[in-house]
Amino acid sequence: MPRDRGQPHTPYFAALNRLLRAEGPGRPVLLIDLERLERNLERVRATFPRHAALRVVNKSLPSPKLLEHVLKAAGTRRQMVFHLPFLLQTARLFPEADVLLGKPLPARAVEGFYRDLPPTGFDPGRQLQWLVDTAERLGQYLALARGLGVRLRVNLEIDVGLHRGGFPEPAALAPALRLIRENPERLEFAGFMGYDAHVGKLPGFLEKPEVSLAKSQAAYRAFTGYLRSQFPDLWSPGLTFNGAGSPTFRLHGEGSPLNDVALGSALLKPLDFDLPLLADLEPAAFIATPVLKVLEGTTLPGLERFAPLLSRLNPNWARTHFIYGGRWPARPVSPGGLAENPLYGKSFNQAVLNGSGRTALEPDDYVFLRPYESEGVLLQFGDLRVVREGRIVATWPVFSEEA
């Protein structure tokens, strides 16, 4: 027989529950705990590679006010942007930003950026690096630059072991670097981006994390070495050598080839970032949703006669809670012991969470869930509710899918 896993809200979530019952909108919201976020920022800054600049990942913190808060506290204007509408909004709202694209965009999207670029003072010729993964795409960008009469700064995506595309080996750079060298009026070489998200994620019997890291850094050095030896005229001290991310930024010490390190999700620490290297960071983003109904027992359609037996066999099915909304990429964290019923089915409208009587939930109480990722999830609830010292101190809008 399963043990009773039910627990009432912890003091932290009990306080948030009282706050939302009194001041919440009565619908699902995304909470940002500003105190936890700021503590995470302090811990990140204390352990950040000293030789590298911090680049904040825009998609992981997709709210202009949230980004503004983080950028100011971190003392950086560097952002990594992945989505065309977000890029246009970044140019409008952060005209001083230093932007590196996090993925290669179709030439059609690049054309749309220049067509819709707002007149805010953001200068893409100085402040924007387009990510390019092949010589063929670079050729498309060159044709576009000629047609638009602009000069594009180009950062080349290199494969350092993740095998998600990009230039697979140093010699493969030659056609792209020659194209840049031969067209200085339209193209400028800005650096490399090599993402190492695979480090630490492979099963240990395949490859140990320290081996993956060493191989990744050796690959990066091979690319920079090729650039210096074969295209010394394109080398300059101001080049951007970007890489890492929230799971790996602390691995890039003084010997790392990177001078530009990206992170974002670590500051909110969603569930996928419960990693040993981030153990000192605190979850700072939660979905909070009201309980609509609380029913005794678990009664399933067609199995009504078994309802008393189900509750006796599993104390965690003693109560059925219908919540406002559901089916988010998230896991309930408070009250303890709540779980989806595998037999009832999933719902976007009124999800079912079973729990024991010890959860003590009543209608209009809130259930709190931790999202697995911050990107995407933060965009689903309208304005973010920002809490500090037990109060809602701000509502921050999120980026729009429309530029």
Side-chain angles (χ1 to χ4, degrees), residues 15-343:
L16 289 176
N17 182 50
R18 291 191 297 271
L19 174 67
L20 291 172
R21 284 190 64 119
E23 301 180 26
R27 61 170 176 81
V29 294
L30 199 297
L31 299 178
I32 301 294
D33 185 320
L34 206 54
E35 292 168 287
R36 289 186 172 203
L37 171 67
E38 290 171 351
R39 285 197 293 268
N40 287 344
L41 263 167
E42 291 174 5
R43 292 162 184 159
V44 164
R45 293 185 68 187
T47 57
F48 197 78
R50 294 184 179 181
H51 67 283
L54 168 61
R55 188 172 297 274
V56 178
V57 177
N58 180 297
K59 67 180 174 64
S60 301
L61 308 167
S63 160
K65 288 292 186 182
L66 176 58
L67 274 168
E68 181 182 5
H69 190 86
V70 168
L71 291 165
K72 183 176 180 180
T76 184
R77 61 187 184 91
R78 301 186 185 209
Q79 295 189 47
M80 179 175 283
V81 183
F82 291 76
H83 189 32
L84 178 60
F86 293 5
L87 178 59
L88 287 162
Q89 290 167 76
T90 298
R92 176 168 56 86
L93 298 170
F94 299 93
E96 76 292 346
D98 175 316
V99 177
L100 170 62
L101 265 291
K103 64 186 177 188
L105 298 185
R108 180 75 172 167
V110 179
E111 182 181 17
F113 170 79
Y114 283 96
R115 181 189 65 236
D116 300 330
L117 178 63
T120 62
F122 181 83
D123 180 2
R126 292 188 303 105
Q127 297 171 245
L128 178 60
Q129 300 177 48
W130 296 100
L131 192 66
V132 171
D133 57 331
T134 65
E136 291 75 19
R137 191 184 302 277
L138 183 59
Q140 296 172 7
Y141 280 24
L142 174 58
L144 181 64
R146 287 170 174 161
L148 295 174
V150 298
R151 188 169 187 254
L152 304 180
R153 299 180 71 217
V154 173
N155 189 297
L156 300 182
E157 181 181 12
I158 57 176
D159 183 3
V160 295
L162 183 59
H163 306 322
R164 195 176 65 175
F167 293 87
E169 59 186 4
L173 293 169
L177 293 175
R178 280 197 295 268
L179 204 59
I180 294 169
R181 171 193 278 168
E182 294 165 2
N183 294 275
E185 74 288 354
R186 295 297 172 217
L187 299 175
E188 175 188 347
F189 178 66
F192 294 137
M193 192 278 276
Y195 190 34
D196 62 1
H198 63 291
V199 172
K201 292 189 176 180
L202 293 174
F205 68 87
L206 287 179
E207 190 167 271
K208 294 186 182 300
E210 57 270 24
V211 174
S212 295
L213 177 66
K215 289 168 66 174
S216 172
Q217 294 194 350
Y220 211 121
R221 292 189 193 94
F223 281 100
T224 57
Y226 180 85
L227 172 68
R228 297 194 76 153
S229 64
Q230 302 300 313
F231 292 85
D233 53 312
L234 296 181
W235 180 274
S236 73
L239 294 177
T240 297
F241 296 128
N242 173 267
S246 288
T248 60
F249 78 93
R250 283 173 165 165
L251 300 175
H252 288 274
E254 291 299 329
S256 171
L258 306 183
N259 63 14
D260 188 274
V261 171
L263 70 82
S265 295
L267 300 176
L268 297 178
K269 201 181 181 182
L271 273 166
D272 281 352
F273 295 83
D274 279 353
L275 303 169
L277 279 172
L278 305 178
D280 60 321
L281 305 184
E282 303 171 81
F286 302 98
I287 298 168
T289 190
V291 176
L292 301 177
K293 311 164 189 173
V294 180
L295 306 180
E296 294 301 322
T298 298
T299 303
L300 300 170
L303 299 174
E304 290 85 354
R305 64 187 182 278
F306 297 111
L309 178 62
L310 292 175
S311 297
R312 286 198 299 270
L313 290 175
N314 188 345
N316 301 295
W317 283 16
R319 302 182 96 197
T320 301
H321 311 85
F322 290 85
I323 61 173
Y324 191 146
R327 209 165 184 176
W328 301 294
R331 189 174 73 201
V333 292
S334 191
L338 292 178
E340 292 183 340
N341 188 303
L343 303 177

